[in-house]
Amino acid sequence: GSLTGLLITEQLLNRMADKEQQPLPGGSNCAGNLSQPQKKLQEAICVLLVELCERFTFFGIVCNMILFCTVKLGYRNYQAAIVNMCFVGTSMLTPVLVGWLAECLVGRIKVVCICMFLHFLGTALLPVVAFPFEDVYIDRRHILHTLTKREQNIVFYFALLTASLGIGGIRAIVCPLSAYSLEDCGPKELLSFFNWFYWLVNLNSAVVFVTISYIQQSVARNLGFLIPFVSMLMAIITIHMVRGEMIYKPKTDSSLLTTFGVIVSALKLSYVRYRYFSGGVTNWLDHAKENYGGQYSETQVEGTKSLTRLFPLFTFQILYRMCIMQIPSGYYLQTMNSNLHFSGFVLPVAAMNVISIVPLLILVPILECINSNLFSSKDTGHSPTIYIGQFSAALSVMVAGFSEIHRKHFPQVEQTLSEEVLLVSSMPCFHLAPQYILLGVAEALVTPSCSLLSFWLVPERMRGISMHFLTLFNGAGCFMGAFFVQTAHAGSQGNWFPHLLHEGKLERFFFFLASLMMVNTLGFWTIAHRYLQEQGGNNLCHHEWEGLCVSGILP
């Protein structure tokens, strides 16, 4: 199964390289003296390297932000969790915004240069907040040049904003999903691609969480924010090697702005005609068609209609993403307040995240093996892996609530984190492993499947827009998670998301979120079972639909 998946991924990369690309204005052929196969190989390697470097910088910033905010900047727990989730959400939304700017206003080459500068600036400013200035900047009179807390906060937020904008440019322009040329792939190849794509991303994040989190928490912890800066330099060098050939030029058949225009136009006209005239259309979006007085073509409106049918699926991803965001927020706080000592060694807090990644690294080859064997089978048995993933997320948050009750039964001990002595539970942090594992199982079963559905169940010209909308809803889930933390903290007067965990009721926060996720799972099952079957009949031929059913993606 692993070998088959890797071979399929290699074929997709080869197809990406085989596809003819028009050089962009301002790009130069740095590899002009290379043969065609060498150019193809260099292009594929550079895209993968930039992807890995970007993920390296992103996870390097995220992995210990809560510890940095609470210990160094003096934030409350809920404030640090909100900052972390907002940064992740912003990094998800900026690729959509930057991609639109590049296509409609500024141009791709200029946007790439601007985003590279912003990312460089953000990752260079983060060490300014992290470094102990009293050890670095001492003038002749030995007067210490230290930043005040207000100045630290200003620099910190500005650095996070510029870094997230830079991340958006890299994801949207340098290595977008459309660069892998998936248009001609069938369901089997698409599922294999998404499985191995997320497998590689999580393998990279596992390495980052282990290395950077330890550096940030060790004696040289303040150098931890320099690692994203160094990694970004690698990405800049890689992009410079093949400037023109590396930047993918997507098709402009459809745009995000056109899709929003169709929806807004249809809403305006449908309101006017509902109020003053009788209806005469089968779908409210038909009001935007030129035949009914709108300003959009039949093709544009029909593409938007196919996309809006996926909105219920996207909506159910918001609460699921809120559960996933507990790893860098609620789960992180639980781990930070547990005993991290193991055989005389203090484990980095963020290293526990690797436990959530291990199930995905194990399950993907297994799922690939099952997919390869069952795809050609004539049996249309029902194996709802995506529902199992949603349920696993709800179960994980519920287990986290019971783990929190269990954690508070242990006596408190002193533990030093980043030169600060904290009172924590003596419960070993490995007792929290089940909740991490369950969320890892959820990610392995849900994320590739939802990407496949978003990509496959719309016309070819709308696939990029569909993936953008999935990204928008995932980003909205991060911000909703931050809003949920703020609301829970304010509504319970700090009891549900306390600063001192042993004095609060964090388990109630988890139980409430788990109950919401259970309702979300039932709703998702109802919508998917009824709606996707109808969509499948309209978009897939019989044997392809059967393959999705057998693979467990659809009922």
Side-chain angles (χ1 to χ4, degrees), residues 190-336:
L190 283 174
L191 182 58
S192 294
F193 170 80
F194 285 120
N195 275 332
W196 289 112
F197 177 79
Y198 290 113
W199 187 88
L200 289 173
V201 168
N202 281 274
L203 179 64
N204 181 52
S205 64
V207 175
V208 172
F209 281 131
V210 171
T211 57
I212 294 184
S213 61
Y214 177 70
I215 291 175
Q216 287 177 322
Q217 201 168 306
S218 66
V219 177
R221 66 192 178 281
N222 294 303
L223 296 177
F225 280 118
L226 281 178
I227 295 180
F229 167 71
V230 174
S231 181
M232 194 57 231
L233 282 181
M234 296 170 56
I236 294 174
I237 295 172
T238 305
I239 295 170
H240 178 72
M241 292 172 60
V242 283
R243 292 195 302 269
E245 297 177 5
M246 185 175 183
I247 302 177
Y248 177 75
K249 179 68 175 176
K251 297 179 181 179
T252 56
D253 294 342
S254 183
S255 69
L256 197 65
L257 193 62
T258 301
T259 304
F260 279 119
V262 170
I263 295 174
V264 172
S265 176
L267 286 173
K268 288 181 179 179
L269 292 173
S270 61
Y271 171 75
V272 171
R273 290 174 183 175
Y274 174 78
R275 186 169 182 177
Y276 298 104
F277 304 99
S278 60
V281 296
T282 57
N283 188 290
W284 64 275
L285 283 171
D286 289 332
H287 289 292
K289 292 181 179 179
E290 295 172 336
N291 302 345
Y292 296 97
Q295 54 184 343
Y296 294 95
S297 66
E298 179 91 11
T299 303
Q300 290 172 326
V301 174
E302 290 301 320
T304 304
K305 286 167 67 174
S306 67
L307 179 63
T308 55
R309 293 189 187 104
L310 288 177
F311 280 6
L313 297 178
F314 295 156
T315 303
F316 281 108
Q317 292 307 300
I318 293 178
L319 197 56
Y320 168 76
R321 189 56 49 185
M322 289 170 59
C323 291
I324 296 299
M325 288 309 298
Q326 293 310 306
I327 291 180
S329 56
Y331 291 8
Y332 190 101
L333 290 171
Q334 280 185 300
T335 306
M336 196 172 77

Side-chain angles (χ1 to χ4, degrees), residues 3 10 33 55 72 117 201 229 278 353 396 413 506 529:
L3 180 59
E10 182 181 358
N33 297 325
R55 297 289 174 175
K72 292 300 178 183
F117 171 75
V201 168
F229 167 71
S278 60
N353 291 25
S396 170
V413 294
L506 182 62
H529 188 80

Side-chain angles (χ1 to χ4, degrees), residues 3 20-21 49 110 130 198 221 265 324 350 358 462 485 504 512:
L3 180 59
E20 293 294 331
Q21 296 180 4
L49 284 177
K110 291 181 181 179
Y198 290 113
R221 66 192 178 281
S265 176
I324 296 299
V358 170
M462 295 296 297
V485 169
F512 185 61

